[in-house]
Amino acid sequence: MDATEAPPAFPKIISVDDHTVEPPHVWRDRLPSKYQDIGPRIVRAPVKSMSFVGGKFAPEMGAPGHDGPIADWWVYEDLHRPLTRLDTAVGHTRDEIRLEGITYEQMRPGSFSVPERLADMDVNHVQSALCFPTFPRFCGQTFTEAKDRELALLSVRAYNDWMVEEWCGPQAHGRLIPLTLIPLWDPELAATEVRRNAARGVRAVCFSEIPPHLGLPSIHTDHWDPFLRACDETGTVVAMHIGSSSKMPSTSPDAPPAVGSTITFANCCFSMVDWLMSGAFDRFPNLRIMYAEGQVGWIPYILERADVVWEENRAWGGVADKVLRPPSELFADHVYGCFFDDAFGLRNLDAIGVENVLYETDYPHSDSTWPKSREVGESQMGHLAPEVVERVVRGNAIDLLGLTGEGLWRAGV
């Protein structure tokens, strides 16, 4: 580049990991009337206590008249889950972000309102965004744990209808990309839901990084084959967010949250090895998976180690007859890592693969780089060629999620 020539503009970001805080009407407006009193609904009540220690979130709702701080709570069957400042932390200084209950009026409107979300995306140089859920948890664990399976299935479908028709509806102008849930307790129902949503243009579905942590079979069985076959045949990406096993990494029951926050990538690491050694990619050659908020700097060593184990130990390691190629080759064809702040990973991008890395902003969580995601990207990607930056920041997401060339989602495509 000539000394007088301006550097290329940083590409408009396509974030593959943001979050929506569901507005109060999502299930109220979509469930049959007989479920209004037990389906998901918002109740304003005091917080008696709340803790997050050893990777476990433990809130307790106060009785009427309790003098604790007031919060909006999702109530569903026996579950009481408050909205918290960690759900929607953007716009607050780091020292203001504490584990506390909040109301909708106390959160940034872009957390739950489409017009305000688009405005906050504009501030952050973000063109399009894929959003994970909040109340259902990252892969719908809330409904998987419910007693009433009929209500749970209706709740999953209601969420998906809201996601496709309202959150990603006409007012989003193609800038919000749908990400749907499945009924995790039944792989045949899950396959049906994947196909139902794929028919209206959805190309990403939530799944658990480590299903046995949820009391479900592992991916080393054939239990998930109907679901995986549906994803393979419809081009639906399996999206796994850190914590989608309901068990965040920690070292001890009394470890402070800072320990788990430092090692959040660990579940992605364990999960990726599971998938690479499962044989799933040989059975389903079009299947693709992505890890949201796992960062990418750890990936090169894991691939190196996995290849060594496959080469040296596959006979006694139980994978000789089902993992037919080196794990690093499987990774290149099937796996995507996602990051929002990973200078080390970007310095080692060649060891990961330019085509296998996606950018994210994590809005509106406390880790989010909003409103400076462009500045963070520019500072960490300055050593990369413009075409590589374009790939990482938006091109890979366009290809993976079947977006238009302009990076927008089109219903029914």
Side-chain angles (χ1 to χ4, degrees):
M1 184 174 67
D2 187 274
T4 62
E5 186 179 342
F10 194 76
K12 277 285 195 152
I13 297 165
I14 297 178
S15 174
V16 295
D17 171 33
D18 286 355
H19 300 265
T20 178
V21 177
E22 299 79 18
H25 67 269
V26 170
W27 292 277
R28 183 190 66 209
D29 291 355
R30 290 171 176 80
L31 291 176
S33 57
K34 69 176 182 176
Y35 288 122
Q36 291 298 311
D37 292 336
I38 57 174
R41 60 205 182 277
I42 286 290
V43 173
R44 187 159 290 186
V47 177
K48 182 177 181 181
S49 65
M50 190 184 307
S51 64
F52 185 51
V53 179
K56 285 200 162 211
F57 178 44
E60 186 177 358
M61 180 189 285
H66 188 275
D67 61 0
I70 297 297
D72 282 336
W73 295 72
W74 280 107
V75 177
Y76 170 48
E77 293 190 339
D78 297 329
L79 175 67
H80 298 78
R81 197 277 194 196
L83 302 179
T84 76
R85 176 58 61 208
L86 299 185
D87 293 329
T88 171
V90 294
H92 294 264
T93 66
R94 296 303 185 194
D95 290 339
E96 291 176 323
I97 301 171
R98 298 181 296 272
L99 182 62
E100 60 183 354
I102 61 171
T103 65
Y104 278 95
E105 290 81 5
Q106 293 171 304
M107 71 171 67
R108 192 169 186 89
S111 303
F112 60 89
S113 168
V114 171
E116 282 83 357
R117 172 60 65 93
L118 298 183
D120 278 354
M121 289 163 61
D122 289 339
V123 169
N124 201 31
H125 199 66
V126 173
Q127 178 190 13
S128 308
L130 181 81
C131 297
F132 282 83
T134 297
F135 169 69
R137 313 216 302 273
F138 293 143
C139 66
Q141 302 102 298
T142 295
F143 302 122
T144 303
E145 295 166 359
K147 300 182 185 74
D148 188 329
R149 289 293 195 220
E150 180 184 0
L151 172 56
L153 180 59
L154 288 171
S155 296
V156 167
R157 290 175 174 167
Y159 176 87
N160 292 341
D161 290 345
W162 169 80
M163 167 63 62
V164 174
E165 299 165 7
E166 188 171 332
W167 184 253
C168 301
Q171 65 175 336
H173 307 293
R175 297 180 61 189
L176 295 174
I177 307 162
L179 173 64
T180 53
L181 301 174
I182 55 169
L184 283 165
W185 59 91
D186 187 321
E188 294 287 354
L189 288 176
T192 298
E193 191 62 12
V194 167
R195 296 183 193 281
R196 181 176 84 95
N197 292 308
R200 46 185 180 173
V202 177
R203 292 294 176 267
V205 64
C206 300
F207 191 64
S208 175
E209 60 204 354
I210 308 176
H213 286 342
L214 305 180
L216 299 169
S218 81
I219 59 162
H220 298 290
T221 70
D222 61 3
H223 174 85
W224 298 105
D225 281 11
F227 163 66
L228 298 181
R229 184 173 298 108
C231 293
D232 177 86
E233 292 175 357
T234 61
T236 300
V237 180
V238 177
M240 293 170 283
H241 195 284
I242 58 166
S244 56
S245 59
S246 296
K247 187 176 181 181
M248 292 297 288
S250 191
T251 55
S252 61
D254 58 349
V259 172
S261 186
T262 302
I263 58 174
T264 51
F265 73 91
N267 279 359
C268 295
C269 173
F270 299 158
S271 174
M272 189 179 82
V273 175
D274 242 1
W275 280 87
L276 292 176
M277 298 299 187
S278 70
F281 297 134
D282 289 295
R283 297 200 310 279
F284 304 106
N286 299 313
L287 186 64
R288 292 169 297 174
I289 66 174
M290 59 169 269
Y291 289 101
E293 208 172 319
Q295 314 303 337
V296 297
W298 52 272
I299 291 175
Y301 172 70
I302 294 300
L303 293 180
E304 178 183 283
R305 177 61 184 163
D307 278 359
V308 169
V309 169
W310 181 82
E311 185 66 41
E312 302 294 337
N313 302 330
R314 63 178 178 264
W316 67 263
V319 296
D321 60 343
K322 62 180 182 178
V323 181
L324 308 181
R325 291 190 289 152
S328 60
E329 292 185 14
L330 297 174
F331 173 89
D333 290 343
H334 299 276
V335 185
Y336 296 78
C338 311
F339 77 99
F340 57 80
D341 185 3
D342 192 344
F344 180 84
L346 288 165
R347 290 196 301 271
N348 294 275
L349 191 57
D350 287 345
I352 303 167
V354 171
E355 307 291 326
N356 298 84
V357 175
L358 307 168
Y359 200 37
E360 59 183 55
T361 79
D362 196 30
Y363 178 105
H365 285 181
S366 59
D367 267 340
S368 178
T369 50
W370 186 93
K372 299 186 176 183
S373 298
R374 174 175 57 182
E375 289 84 346
V376 171
E378 287 174 333
S379 69
Q380 295 187 353
M381 301 185 206
H383 65 291
L384 299 174
E387 61 270 20
V388 173
V389 176
E390 176 80 16
R391 261 282 127 212
V392 170
V393 172
R394 56 184 289 111
N396 290 338
I398 289 172
D399 292 346
L400 182 64
L401 299 171
L403 307 179
T404 69
E406 293 75 33
L408 302 174
W409 177 70
R410 289 184 296 175
V413 176

